[in-house]
Amino acid sequence: MKELTYKEMGLLDEEYQKIIEIMGREPNYLELGMFSVMWSEHCGYKNSRPLLKNFPTEGSQVIQGPGENAGVVDIGDGQALVFKIESHNHPSAIEPYQGAATGVGGIVRDIFTMGARPIALLNSLRFAELDDARVRELFSGVVAGIAGYGNCLGIPAVGGEVYFNPAYKGNPLVNAMCVGLVNTDEIALAVANEIDSPIMIVGAKTGRDGIHGATFASEELSESSQSKRPSVQVGDPFMEKLLIEACLQLIKEDLVAGMQDLGAAGLTSSIAETASKKGLGVEVDVLQVPRREQGMTPYEVMLSESQERMLIVPRTGKEERIKEIFDKWGLDAVVIGRVSGDGMFKVYEGEELVGAVPVMELTEGCPVYVRQGQKAEYYQRCRAFDINSLPEEKPEPALRKLLASPNIASKRWVFSQYDYQVMTNTAIVPGDGDAAVLRIKDTSKGVAMTTDCNSRFVYLDPYLGGVLTVCEAARNLACVGARPLALTNCLNFGSPEKPDIYWQMEQAIKGMADAARELDTPVVSGNVSLYNETVEGAIYPTPVVGMAGLLKDIDYRCDMAFKDEGDLIVLLGELRDQLGGSEYLYVCHGIQSGAVPPVDIKNEKSLVEMLLSLNADGLCKSCHDISDGGLAVCLAESAIKGGRGFTVDFDFENKRTDGVLFSEAPERAVISINADKLKKVQELANSKGLQTQVLGQVGGKDLLFKNCGQEIIRMSLADAGQIWEEAIESLMK
Amino acid sequence: MKFGIIVFPGSNCDADCLHVMKNVMKQESEYIWHQESDLSAYDAIILPGGFSYGDYLRTGAIARFSPIMSAVVDYARQGGLVIGICNGFQILLEVGLLPGAMLRNRSLKFICDTVNLKVRQANTPFSNKLEEGQIIQVPIAHGEGNYYCDEKTLQELNDNKQIIFTYCGPEGEESLEYNPNGSLANIAGICNEKGNVLGMMPHPERCSEAVLGGTDGYKIFASMLNYLEEVGR
Amino acid sequence: MFKAIIYVTLKEGVLDPQGEAVKKSLHVLNYEGVDEVRIGKFIEVWLKSQDEETARRELEDMSDKLLANPVIEDYRVELMEVV
Amino acid sequence: MFKAIIYVTLKEGVLDPQGEAVKKSLHVLNYEGVDEVRIGKFIEVWLKSQDEETARRELEDMSDKLLANPVIEDYRVELMEVV
Ligand SMILES: Nc1ncnc2c1ncn2[C@@H]1O[C@H](COP(=O)(O)OP(=O)(O)O)[C@@H](O)[C@H]1O
Ligand SMILES: [Mg+2]
């Protein structure tokens, strides 16, 4: 392998100087490699750490906030949820199937490393538009990769989102989230706390794959990314499945003091993180590391990102039992070194010391950059865009176009490739509700989860977009009857070195933090993916939120399907007509602009509480929040799902018709109820200071919209269903 | 009754089957590790779904050489009840307890959905609580459920009434339109000549409780229990 | 040391959905001359064995048992000695 | 009419989980002499083309675009004329 310079490894001049200061000499090639991966954005968070400080991370429900492999949230009865979301954008851009597959593998390891049994997968995907053959290839490769890996593991993929926008041309986003269930007394952490305890590596053998993957993830995609292709890895989900079972057995038998997955930056990072928690040191012998290839150098062994490996620090005297368990599953478990007291990370090749670096400098020593953001040039212009200068598109063709937009149409093409029912817990399956719901066996509880981000909103107004993203996630959980507990996030942005991008980051994070604080959904874990740019520019800022919630009683879950003829359709919240940043503007007018609808977080919180009360009392027969496509799409989806039409007839007041139908303004949801429950619903709304309005009734075979008795849309249910169900399918043929 | 659920490396519906047999059907049930070789303690054996050995090479191909499989073959030859679900079905084909083989789904995609099945035979140990011609809804989740056999074998399957479940439409239409994976003659489940070994791609354990949206699968397990109680092992 | 390549193909008459799909894609990419596509796999095995005959016997054995499924597949063994 | 066989293998150094699993299984079946197993696929293509050169160019084109994944796989084209 050709030797890289420190610049090629992604280090700046001043960073290299700092390394020399730390070492008191020039680092050798191995030491330099170790610094460069640990000080990459991906591992060191050097551009984002100061911003992340804004997030609220505490709450009575939080057992473990950021800083471990995943966050942990209490769900009662001595049980907890463990969850995190992570990006695998760049590998997926180069090799969609394996990139996405190994992304799933990585996030799953973060969860069972904590001692939790993974119980659900979600994902959040962004691509350019499907009229481009290369995009279709990426899209189908990514979906197949997620399916191929997750299905084999037997972890249901129960939710997620997919968006298509030219902003992701050349730089798709693939974010994967995993949720695990753990008994609170069995949570495992990644710490080495005893001097002299052995360090073991288990799972797959180490090959030359993925060297400098962490650095690669921290750069813009360019022509030369092509030549870094060998850094793409092939996943082995079968191996990972065996690892899950074996590692969870270790936890059950209380055999480990610390457990850590090998992810980005491989052995270097996992060993450094494990040792640095208690300020200890470590000695490893690379010759002990089982290898897949011959002639590997210490540098290659220490930096390899081969998948499906784990690091284990056994409890004293437990190595033999640990080996037995791994042997049962046909896996190797090998001692490769020991914990030391001197704070140094020493790498040996047999007897020979080939590198020595102070552990703390690798982890805590990473330089941090506080940059100066600058409001993006487009911001004022887009805010000032006058929507009233646009003609109104006829309502019915507009609704047809929206239902056919891949951003709104059914995502069955995607989720039917995922096994979403394995583990026999899935009580609301993908597509049926605003969030996925899983029962927790042996209890009456359920948990719900969702991922959300309207990146067009975030682009047009990063602060508001950040607020709206968190609000939408919380609202989605409340719609299915779950109290939002906490969130994880994946911050996908362009290059932080550009002031307008840094401004997007600052503002979006501030918005998310404000909403998370108000809604009492602290941030418990997350991941940052920067440099999502190509020569054509940066992606839309995409801070994806994954949120989890709790249903006290699984029997009171609620999906979005209309149920019975004659049920009343009720709008919770107000009629609004702000169209800024809406899918309608894009699909019907080709415009991505306008002022993002404002949001009152307090009011959103009231809506969440209202939805929770309604569902807890079993008052809603269906519930669906208003988001992409607005009120009209919200109603259409409930009708299609339920196989029942509706008639709504209400006063559009003086608002634009397209505004009322297609505004994506927040703080709103549509429920259907038994007619005799109306009074109770209204009383409840009054007590929460929320408006309600009866829009109409479920029934018939048409979607019928009227404004003060005057018909404005009549579309047959069959028609609407077909357009919505087949849109993506037919583009992918 | 005592049910044994075989666990291969890579099985992933083993826990689901155990849950249903234990907590829903209220039967004594336990896992059997693939390296065991004694099945004498069990009244019926379940080969669960999943990806045994990653489904590398061919689905079920490697699992069939697990030590437990020779015990399963003996057990079946002696008339013991064996049900193979999804990957379990694939393993039964590979080991030769059932005829035919699996190809990749016609769409080349993994498919997860809930489908209609027509009950073609009701007087079997696995379907006696159902009625002939009845349509039930059962989830599927597989990448290789495209059942294939030669013409002669198909004829035999028909003649011996070994086709137990077929994919169909809401009104029982057995057309290609309602065939999710391209399987021959819309086959979803078949049994051996003696009728004591069933292989099916759909997952009855995923629809045995109301909270999961359906209970038709319950009736398949209840049929097995009923048979065991009436006829004994 | 021997190196063997075992070529496994679907039996004639067994539908090859993957081959069909590839053919369609090639037509979409404007390779209209493509008449038929079939997909098979090959398994390269390096093995130590007394002599060529033993090696061949072993390989046929492996193929019958594991590497190919006689219901749907045919196979062919190619064997060479390597150093 | 030409018949081509395109052999697609994983690049050296790329993990081959299938090959590993098959190797282990062969050991369990007591073929201890087996040292290594790698699995590849081959694609048989029948195509009409003006001449051999054009056919070869087209096939390499198809392989680059569709049949092989250049990120992790290598390929080799074998071409023959058939009647
Ligand atoms: N955007 C974010 N918000 C909150 N926590 C974050 C964020 N990004 C990273 N973190 C936290 O920082 C820690 C380090 O993350 P990471 O390096 O991705 O972990 P790992 O090496 O386990 O993948 C984790 O605890 C993670 O949850
Ligand atoms: Mg981790």
Side-chain angles (χ1 to χ4, degrees):
Chain A
M1 208 179 193
K2 174 181 149 285
E3 294 220 339
L4 304 170
T5 63
Y6 67 83
K7 280 196 182 150
E8 287 167 322
M9 289 184 188
L11 290 169
L12 304 174
D13 291 333
E14 63 257 37
E15 290 169 344
Y16 186 65
Q17 282 312 315
K18 189 169 171 200
I19 293 170
I20 292 177
E21 264 165 49
I22 289 168
M23 302 289 292
R25 61 176 165 84
E26 297 261 339
N28 67 27
Y29 192 60
L30 167 63
E31 293 161 342
L32 181 61
M34 291 167 71
F35 271 108
S36 80
V37 290
M38 291 302 291
W39 286 11
S40 67
E41 178 61 39
H42 192 87
C43 291
Y45 294 91
K46 51 190 175 187
N47 288 292
S48 48
R49 224 187 300 179
L51 296 176
L52 298 181
K53 289 213 177 79
N54 290 315
F55 283 141
T57 58
E58 284 169 7
S60 55
Q61 69 274 45
V62 177
I63 294 177
Q64 173 68 57
E68 278 288 336
N69 284 302
V72 185
V73 176
D74 198 345
I75 56 166
D77 309 321
Q79 294 177 309
L81 284 186
V82 178
F83 57 94
K84 185 178 178 203
I85 189 167
E86 199 160 71
S87 66
H88 231 216
N89 303 337
H90 285 193
S92 305
I94 305 268
E95 210 310 281
Y97 184 97
Q98 295 296 344
T102 51
V104 172
I107 193 63
V108 167
R109 282 195 294 284
D110 272 333
I111 300 309
F112 73 80
T113 300
M114 302 285 297
R117 160 78 58 185
I119 58 165
L121 288 166
L122 294 93
N123 53 77
S124 172
L125 312 176
R126 300 285 188 292
F127 303 93
E129 290 174 303
L130 290 174
D131 50 11
D132 179 339
R134 173 62 189 157
V135 174
R136 290 196 295 273
E137 213 176 286
L138 279 173
F139 176 44
S140 46
V142 163
V143 170
I146 292 172
Y149 205 100
N151 295 350
C152 183
L153 294 183
I155 306 171
V158 297
E161 46 168 12
V162 193
Y163 280 98
F164 304 93
N165 196 297
Y168 301 99
K169 186 156 172 79
N171 197 324
L173 300 185
V174 176
N175 294 177
M177 171 170 166
C178 184
V179 182
L181 181 67
V182 70
N183 292 328
T184 42
D185 58 1
E186 290 178 348
I187 296 169
L189 299 177
V191 260
N193 49 9
E194 240 175 281
I195 294 174
D196 266 345
S197 49
I199 293 176
M200 301 173 96
I201 187 169
V202 305
K205 292 184 172 39
T206 299
R208 286 197 176 87
D209 25 28
I211 293 170
H212 278 293
T215 315
F216 168 57
S218 312
E219 280 175 3
E220 292 172 26
L221 282 169
S222 65
E223 279 300 306
S224 74
S225 312
Q226 301 278 330
S227 60
K228 290 191 181 142
R229 281 178 161 185
S231 67
V232 171
Q233 305 130 50
V234 169
D236 181 356
F238 173 55
M239 172 68 83
E240 178 119 328
K241 168 72 175 160
L242 303 181
L243 269 181
I244 296 176
E245 300 305 330
C247 289
L248 291 181
Q249 184 67 29
L250 299 191
I251 305 277
K252 279 270 171 280
E253 296 187 19
D254 195 21
L255 303 173
V256 295
M259 194 150 87
Q260 169 68 33
D261 62 298
L262 276 75
L267 269 175
T268 301
S269 149
S270 59
I271 291 178
E273 278 169 22
T274 307
S276 71
K277 293 246 171 69
K278 298 267 169 169
L280 295 173
V282 66
E283 295 174 358
V284 285
D285 177 4
V286 292
L287 291 186
Q288 303 306 315
V289 177
R291 300 154 187 219
R292 209 171 71 224
E293 293 177 72
Q294 294 186 338
M296 288 179 71
T297 64
Y299 175 91
E300 289 170 329
V301 173
M302 292 308 293
L303 268 66
S304 161
E305 292 188 3
S306 287
Q307 300 288 300
E308 292 98 17
R309 299 178 299 162
M310 297 285 286
L311 195 76
I312 282 172
V313 185
R315 288 206 189 286
T316 319
K318 300 295 185 190
E319 291 111 284
E320 282 317 306
R321 177 63 191 142
I322 289 177
K323 282 190 180 154
E324 258 173 49
I325 289 176
F326 280 102
D327 192 51
K328 172 185 168 184
W329 292 98
L331 299 171
D332 295 331
V334 181
V335 174
I336 57 166
R338 57 170 210 103
V339 178
S340 67
D342 63 1
M344 292 299 287
F345 189 151
K346 292 185 180 153
V347 182
Y348 289 86
E349 188 173 31
E351 298 287 293
E352 190 190 347
L353 180 68
V354 291
V357 176
V359 173
M360 289 308 260
E361 297 292 350
L362 283 177
T363 52
E364 305 298 315
C366 175
V368 169
Y369 301 108
V370 181
R371 300 185 184 274
Q372 203 50 50
Q374 192 182 6
K375 197 179 284 183
E377 143 300 308
Y378 65 78
Y379 173 70
Q380 285 305 343
R381 180 163 41 82
C382 288
R383 270 187 70 82
F385 178 79
D386 179 15
I387 289 165
N388 286 322
S389 67
L390 293 173
E392 282 206 34
E393 172 101 6
K394 287 213 177 65
E396 189 173 319
L399 179 55
R400 281 177 188 273
K401 281 185 200 163
L402 281 167
L403 290 174
S405 159
N407 289 336
I408 284 174
S410 165
K411 306 298 185 292
R412 178 173 301 279
W413 187 88
V414 177
F415 63 71
S416 68
Q417 296 184 55
Y418 302 150
D419 187 344
Y420 49 79
Q421 285 176 311
V422 61
M423 295 187 112
T424 57
N425 295 323
T426 318
I428 294 188
V429 301
D432 281 5
D434 280 327
V437 174
L438 271 61
R439 58 116 173 239
I440 303 288
K441 289 197 180 99
D442 302 320
T443 74
S444 56
K445 287 182 302 202
V447 291
M449 49 208 81
T450 176
T451 58
D452 289 288
C453 179
N454 183 328
S455 59
R456 195 186 285 140
F457 282 171
V458 185
Y459 170 76
L460 292 172
D461 192 329
Y463 175 80
L464 264 186
V467 173
L468 287 167
T469 296
V470 174
C471 286
E472 181 175 354
R475 198 189 316 132
N476 281 337
L477 293 182
C479 280
V480 298
R483 173 167 294 282
L485 288 176
L487 68 85
T488 180
N489 66 96
C490 191
L491 303 172
N492 306 276
F493 287 87
S495 164
E497 293 160 33
K498 297 180 181 157
D500 55 335
I501 303 278
Y502 197 75
W503 168 80
Q504 291 176 344
M505 286 171 63
E506 263 174 341
Q507 293 299 309
I509 289 172
K510 188 160 176 296
M512 294 163 80
D514 285 352
R517 212 169 271 120
E518 188 67 42
L519 295 167
D520 190 23
T521 51
V523 176
V524 295
S525 62
N527 174 248
V528 177
S529 170
L530 304 181
Y531 301 94
N532 288 292
E533 302 208 357
T534 63
V535 280
E536 289 169 58
I539 58 160
Y540 273 180
T542 314
V544 175
V545 164
M547 200 180 277
L550 179 65
L551 290 94
K552 285 218 184 73
D553 189 341
I554 186 82
D555 288 340
Y556 289 89
R557 66 190 182 279
C558 189
D559 65 22
M560 64 165 77
F562 286 153
K563 301 285 177 323
D564 296 299
E565 299 263 327
D567 284 346
L568 293 183
I569 300 172
V570 181
L571 169 69
L572 307 180
E574 298 171 25
L575 284 184
R576 296 174 64 168
D577 66 351
Q578 297 114 325
L579 283 170
S582 62
E583 185 71 9
Y584 164 77
L585 277 195
Y586 183 53
V587 166
C588 294
H589 298 278
I591 288 167
Q592 309 202 70
S593 187
V596 170
V599 52
D600 175 346
I601 312 177
K602 288 214 161 60
N603 197 42
E604 189 76 77
K605 185 168 168 85
S606 305
L607 176 66
V608 166
E609 293 300 332
M610 165 93 187
L611 288 165
L612 290 174
S613 304
L614 286 171
N615 281 321
D617 291 344
L619 293 173
C620 298
K621 283 192 171 175
S622 75
C623 186
H624 189 11
D625 80 319
I626 297 181
S627 58
D628 307 85
L631 175 62
V633 165
C634 170
L635 288 165
E637 285 175 343
S638 288
I640 293 167
K641 279 283 159 192
R644 292 176 196 284
F646 60 81
T647 302
V648 290
D649 184 357
F650 53 93
D651 183 356
F652 281 43
E653 297 158 13
N654 294 323
K655 299 183 163 67
R656 277 174 74 111
T657 302
D658 57 357
V660 170
L661 292 173
F662 306 122
S663 165
E664 296 173 8
E667 301 161 53
R668 304 181 300 158
V670 171
I671 60 174
S672 67
I673 59 171
N674 212 319
D676 64 9
K677 297 290 193 313
L678 180 60
K679 220 160 150 237
K680 267 188 134 169
V681 171
Q682 285 167 335
E683 279 166 17
L684 205 55
N686 281 338
S687 74
K688 308 257 186 226
L690 279 176
Q691 293 202 14
T692 59
Q693 181 170 350
V694 177
L695 300 178
Q697 287 194 348
V698 175
K701 285 284 161 209
D702 288 328
L703 319 184
L704 184 51
F705 292 81
K706 294 181 187 170
N707 178 1
C708 297
Q710 192 192 343
E711 192 170 307
I712 49 179
I713 299 179
R714 182 192 285 272
M715 193 187 299
S716 83
L717 182 62
D719 242 19
Q722 193 177 7
I723 295 173
W724 184 80
E725 274 291 352
E726 292 174 8
I728 293 184
E729 184 97 45
S730 60
L731 284 166
M732 293 305 292
K733 275 226 170 92
Chain B
M1 297 292 160
K2 188 165 176 179
F3 284 74
I5 294 144
I6 297 182
V7 182
F8 300 96
S11 294
N12 66 28
C13 302
D14 44 346
D16 302 357
C17 290
L18 189 80
H19 164 72
V20 168
M21 297 321 296
K22 233 184 168 148
N23 304 326
V24 182
M25 308 305 298
K26 310 283 184 209
Q27 301 302 306
E28 199 185 333
S29 312
E30 61 191 29
Y31 294 131
I32 307 170
W33 185 237
H34 71 118
Q35 285 184 324
E36 309 277 311
S37 52
D38 181 7
L39 295 176
S40 55
Y42 304 98
D43 296 296
I45 298 298
I46 301 178
L47 278 78
F51 287 71
S52 54
Y53 296 92
D55 271 355
Y56 295 144
L57 192 66
R58 286 188 316 279
T59 55
I62 300 181
R64 81 162 261 214
F65 291 107
S66 281
I68 195 68
M69 283 313 293
S70 25
V72 172
V73 170
D74 288 342
Y75 186 88
R77 297 237 159 93
Q78 288 159 25
L81 280 197
V82 178
I83 179 171
I85 300 167
C86 200
N87 195 227
F89 185 9
Q90 293 162 339
I91 296 169
L92 290 174
L93 293 172
E94 282 282 341
V95 80
L97 279 175
L98 295 173
M102 282 299 172
L103 299 169
R104 281 182 74 177
N105 291 352
R106 183 181 45 186
S107 65
L108 299 178
K109 291 194 175 65
F110 189 95
I111 167 163
C112 181
D113 204 348
T114 292
V115 297
N116 293 305
L117 297 183
K118 185 186 276 183
V119 179
R120 295 275 296 257
Q121 303 297 333
N123 58 349
T124 79
F126 307 95
S127 55
N128 55 65
K129 289 276 182 187
L130 297 160
E131 272 160 41
E132 200 168 311
Q134 186 181 345
I135 295 165
I136 58 176
Q137 267 118 42
V138 187
I140 54 168
H142 57 249
E144 304 199 13
N146 185 350
Y147 178 81
Y148 172 85
C149 64
D150 60 30
E151 266 173 51
K152 183 165 153 283
T153 309
L154 181 62
Q155 191 59 48
E156 285 166 9
L157 287 176
N158 270 316
D159 293 348
N160 302 330
K161 302 188 186 313
Q162 285 172 251
I163 302 176
I164 312 300
F165 301 113
T166 47
Y167 301 110
C168 68
E171 313 295 334
E173 314 89 308
E174 286 173 311
S175 59
L176 205 59
E177 185 189 349
Y178 296 107
N179 181 333
N181 51 31
S183 71
L184 198 69
N186 279 35
I187 284 174
I190 57 172
C191 68
N192 62 345
E193 226 183 306
K194 270 201 284 186
N196 62 315
V197 178
L198 174 80
M200 63 187 294
M201 288 315 291
H203 286 272
E205 80 281 12
R206 296 186 182 186
C207 56
S208 293
E209 298 163 88
V211 68
L212 302 178
T215 54
D216 284 342
Y218 180 93
K219 293 173 196 149
I220 292 176
F221 297 118
S223 297
M224 291 174 73
L225 266 182
N226 184 44
Y227 173 84
L228 289 170
E229 275 156 10
E230 301 262 304
V231 183
R233 222 193 101 178
Chain C
M1 181 77 125
F2 294 89
K3 179 182 170 186
I5 309 182
I6 298 114
Y7 297 90
V8 180
T9 45
L10 282 175
K11 277 206 160 85
E12 201 142 345
V14 176
L15 194 74
D16 173 15
Q18 220 186 334
E20 279 301 305
V22 169
K23 183 171 91 181
K24 255 199 217 156
S25 303
L26 288 175
H27 287 172
V28 171
L29 290 173
N30 280 326
Y31 299 105
E32 279 127 11
V34 172
D35 241 41
E36 206 193 322
V37 178
R38 305 271 298 173
I39 296 190
K41 64 187 157 202
F42 62 93
I43 301 146
E44 299 175 289
V45 179
W46 285 260
L47 82 168
K48 291 189 202 72
S49 208
Q50 272 171 302
D51 51 44
E52 199 172 318
E53 203 180 316
T54 323
R56 182 169 295 278
R57 215 188 33 248
E58 284 192 333
L59 286 159
E60 280 176 0
D61 230 45
M62 292 176 206
S63 304
D64 287 333
K65 276 197 198 152
L66 176 70
L67 303 179
N69 179 343
V71 178
I72 42 173
E73 293 170 332
D74 289 326
Y75 71 88
R76 178 169 64 81
V77 178
E78 215 175 271
L79 185 63
M80 59 214 96
E81 197 158 354
V82 288
V83 275
Chain D
M1 182 74 128
F2 294 89
K3 178 182 169 186
I5 309 183
I6 299 118
Y7 298 90
V8 182
T9 46
L10 283 172
K11 280 205 163 83
E12 214 175 86
V14 173
L15 179 72
D16 177 13
Q18 289 216 61
E20 276 300 305
V22 170
K23 182 172 89 180
K24 272 199 196 148
S25 176
L26 288 173
H27 287 171
V28 171
L29 290 173
N30 280 325
Y31 299 105
E32 277 127 13
V34 172
D35 240 41
E36 208 193 322
V37 177
R38 304 273 295 173
I39 297 191
K41 66 178 169 198
F42 63 94
I43 302 142
E44 300 174 290
V45 179
W46 285 261
L47 83 167
K48 292 189 202 68
S49 207
Q50 273 171 297
D51 52 41
E52 196 170 321
E53 205 179 314
T54 323
R56 182 170 294 276
R57 215 188 33 246
E58 286 192 333
L59 286 159
E60 279 175 0
D61 233 44
M62 293 176 204
S63 304
D64 287 333
K65 279 196 201 146
L66 183 76
L67 304 178
N69 178 347
V71 182
I72 48 174
E73 293 172 334
D74 288 327
Y75 69 88
R76 179 169 64 80
V77 177
E78 217 176 86
L79 185 63
M80 59 215 96
E81 196 158 356
V82 288
V83 274

